Amino acid sequence: MAECENTNDVSAAEPSKLCDLLDRGWKIFEEVDIANEPLGSTSIQVKVKRGISMLEEASRMVAQLDLFSRNEELEEIATADLKYLLLPALVGALTMKQTSRDKRLEIVQTARAYFMDFLKRCKEYNTSQFELPNSTNESTSPDEESENGNLTAKSVPCPSDLVSMAAQRQAKIERYRQKKELEARLSDVRRAVDSGQADDEVSRDFYLLNVRRWITVCLDEIESIDQEVEILKKMDGLKQGSTKQPPQPVRPPMKPFILTKDAVQAQVFGAGYPSLPTMTVDDWYEQRRNQGVLPDQVIPRKVTVEDTDAKEREEEDKEREAENDDEESLLKARNWDDWKDTNRRGYGNRHNMG
C-alpha cells in the first residue's frame, strides 16, 4: 500500500486526513484478512468496526469534495486520486467480515450495495471489461412463483439455463485467471511503490492494477452473496411458518380392521386374516419360565437329584443289611449268585419270540 501523496484536486486542509483514513482502513483490512485469530473473536471484530468507521468517513469526505464525475474519463483522474476509487470495495469487504448471525441478511445486503457502487463507478470509467450484475438480488417467494406458474419451469432446467450456467462457469474461471495475473503484476509493482522510488507512471499503474483486481473480487463476492441471500430468506420463511402453525396433536396408532357386510358375517367368518398375536415372545418365555417347564429350569434338576438320592439310599440299605448279617438276606443273595452261575444271561426269556 502506497504512502499518502499530495494532490491538487483536494483542498489544502483535507489531503493528509483523507489519505490517512484510507491508508489506515486499508491496512486494517489487510491485517484482518491474513489474521490467524478466529474471525468472530472480539479483537478482530473491534478492528473490523474501526476500519469500517474510518473508510465510511473517508467516503463521505470524497463525496463532499466531488473527486469523481461521470463527465470525465479515466485518464483525467489524478494519480493520487485513483486509490479513492477503492473505498466502496474496501468498506464492502470489511462489512463481510462481520459475524453477527441475527443481522446476517442485513450485513450481506449492505456489502452488496457497496460492491455494486464500486463496480458501477468502474464501469462508468471503463477501467476494465466486465458485465455488471443485476442491481437487485430480490427474488420472488415460493407462493408468488406458484401463482405465476414459474415453479415448474424453475424445477426443471431448460437448455437456455444450462447454457447460461456454462457461461457463468467459464466467466468465473476467466476471472480467476485474471486475478492471479493481476496479483503477480501487483507483487512486482508494490515493491517499487513501497520503497518510495516509483514515479507517477508506476504509481498510476499500481492503483489501476488494484482497481482491476478488486473488480474480480467484487464480482465473485456478489455471486456468493446472491446465493447466500436466497438461502437466508428461505430460512426466515421456514422460521415464520413454524411459529404460525400450531403443534399437531399426537395420534394413537391405528389398529388393523377389515370391512364386512354386517356384524353377523364378521362373527361367522372372522376378521378375514390370521389371528393377531396376544403376547410377545418375551412374554411367552416369561410365562413358561414361571411354570417351570423350560429345559433349563430347576424342576428337571430336582428330579435328577431325587433319583440319585434313591439309588444312594438303596446301596446304603444293602450295605447295612450285609453288615447286620441278616440270614434271610444272605440266603437270598447266595441263591441268586448260584442261579446266575448255572444260567447264562437272557436264558429262559421267551417273551415276544413266538
Side-chain angles (χ1 to χ4, degrees):
M1 183 168 49
E3 299 293 335
C4 296
E5 301 178 5
N6 293 329
T7 175
N8 297 328
D9 295 339
V10 186
S11 61
E14 298 295 342
S16 60
K17 183 179 179 181
L18 176 58
C19 180
D20 184 58
L21 287 174
L22 174 61
D23 289 344
R24 289 165 61 190
W26 197 345
K27 185 177 181 181
I28 287 175
F29 168 74
E30 290 179 345
E31 291 176 355
V32 171
D33 197 37
I34 63 175
N36 294 325
E37 298 181 41
L39 190 59
S41 62
T42 305
S43 59
I44 295 295
Q45 289 302 306
V46 170
K47 284 185 178 181
V48 168
K49 292 180 180 179
R50 186 166 65 248
I52 291 174
S53 177
M54 292 178 182
L55 294 174
E56 286 179 345
E57 179 65 22
S59 299
R60 284 192 290 268
M61 295 173 65
V62 169
Q64 292 175 0
L65 295 171
D66 291 331
L67 292 183
F68 306 108
S69 173
R70 296 181 180 179
N71 299 324
E72 61 182 0
E73 300 294 334
L74 182 63
E75 292 77 11
E76 300 177 15
I77 302 177
T79 301
D81 295 341
L82 281 174
K83 57 185 176 182
Y84 299 115
L85 287 172
L86 297 171
L87 278 171
L90 292 172
V91 178
L94 275 177
T95 303
M96 289 294 293
K97 300 292 184 181
Q98 294 179 333
T99 57
S100 177
R101 293 186 178 181
D102 298 336
K103 299 181 180 180
R104 183 60 184 173
L105 182 59
E106 180 182 352
I107 288 172
V108 295
Q109 289 177 339
T110 303
R112 191 183 194 280
Y114 282 119
F115 291 144
M116 286 298 301
D117 184 26
F118 170 73
L119 292 176
K120 287 179 181 178
R121 185 164 293 175
C122 292
K123 192 72 173 177
E124 292 171 358
Y125 284 108
N126 196 21
T127 56
S128 178
Q129 297 295 328
F130 64 93
E131 185 178 354
L132 193 66
N134 296 329
S135 58
T136 58
N137 59 347
E138 296 179 357
S139 59
T140 56
S141 63
D143 295 338
E144 293 176 355
E145 290 179 355
S146 60
E147 291 177 0
N148 297 334
N150 297 329
L151 188 61
T152 305
K154 287 188 176 183
S155 59
V156 181
C158 59
S160 60
D161 294 336
L162 298 177
V163 172
S164 63
M165 291 169 62
Q168 291 176 2
R169 180 177 179 275
Q170 188 63 31
K172 195 167 185 179
I173 295 174
E174 183 65 22
R175 287 199 303 269
Y176 179 78
R177 185 185 61 79
Q178 292 178 0
K179 181 180 177 183
K180 290 300 180 183
E181 291 178 357
L182 291 171
E183 288 177 350
R185 293 175 59 186
L186 269 173
S187 63
D188 297 334
V189 179
R190 182 186 291 272
R191 287 191 290 269
V193 174
D194 292 342
S195 64
Q197 300 177 358
D199 56 5
D200 185 77
E201 184 179 356
V202 175
S203 298
R204 189 176 186 86
D205 189 26
F206 173 75
Y207 291 126
L208 287 177
L209 287 174
N210 271 291
V211 170
R212 289 165 184 159
R213 174 186 173 275
W214 273 100
I215 288 175
T216 61
V217 172
C218 291
L219 290 173
D220 290 338
E221 289 289 342
I222 287 178
E223 185 177 349
S224 300
I225 286 173
D226 290 344
Q227 296 175 359
E228 185 175 357
V229 166
E230 185 177 356
I231 294 173
L232 291 173
K233 287 183 177 180
K234 289 183 179 180
M235 291 176 62
D236 291 341
L238 292 175
K239 290 180 180 178
Q240 294 176 1
S242 61
T243 56
K244 291 180 181 179
Q245 294 181 355
Q248 297 291 337
V250 179
R251 299 177 60 183
M254 297 180 61
K255 296 182 179 180
F257 64 92
I258 186 171
L259 298 177
T260 56
K261 292 183 178 180
D262 49 27
V264 177
Q265 182 178 356
Q267 293 176 1
V268 173
F269 296 104
Y273 49 82
S275 300
L276 297 177
T278 58
M279 65 176 65
T280 63
V281 176
D282 294 337
D283 295 338
W284 176 85
Y285 184 85
E286 185 67 22
Q287 181 182 5
R288 302 294 286 180
R289 189 181 67 81
N290 294 334
Q291 294 175 357
V293 296
L294 294 178
D296 57 347
Q297 292 298 307
V298 183
I299 295 176
R301 293 179 182 175
K302 289 182 178 180
V303 173
T304 306
V305 172
E306 291 177 358
D307 294 342
T308 306
D309 294 341
K311 291 180 179 179
E312 291 179 353
R313 285 196 299 270
E314 184 177 355
E315 292 179 357
E316 291 177 357
D317 293 339
K318 290 182 179 180
E319 293 177 358
R320 193 180 301 110
E321 291 176 356
E323 292 175 356
N324 295 334
D325 294 333
D326 187 0
E327 294 181 358
E328 184 178 354
S329 300
L330 288 174
L331 180 61
K332 185 177 181 180
R334 289 172 181 170
N335 292 336
W336 176 247
D337 291 338
D338 295 339
W339 190 86
K340 286 194 297 182
D341 293 339
T342 57
N343 297 279
R344 65 180 182 274
R345 184 178 179 84
Y347 178 79
N349 185 7
R350 310 291 294 174
H351 183 64
N352 290 335
M353 294 184 65

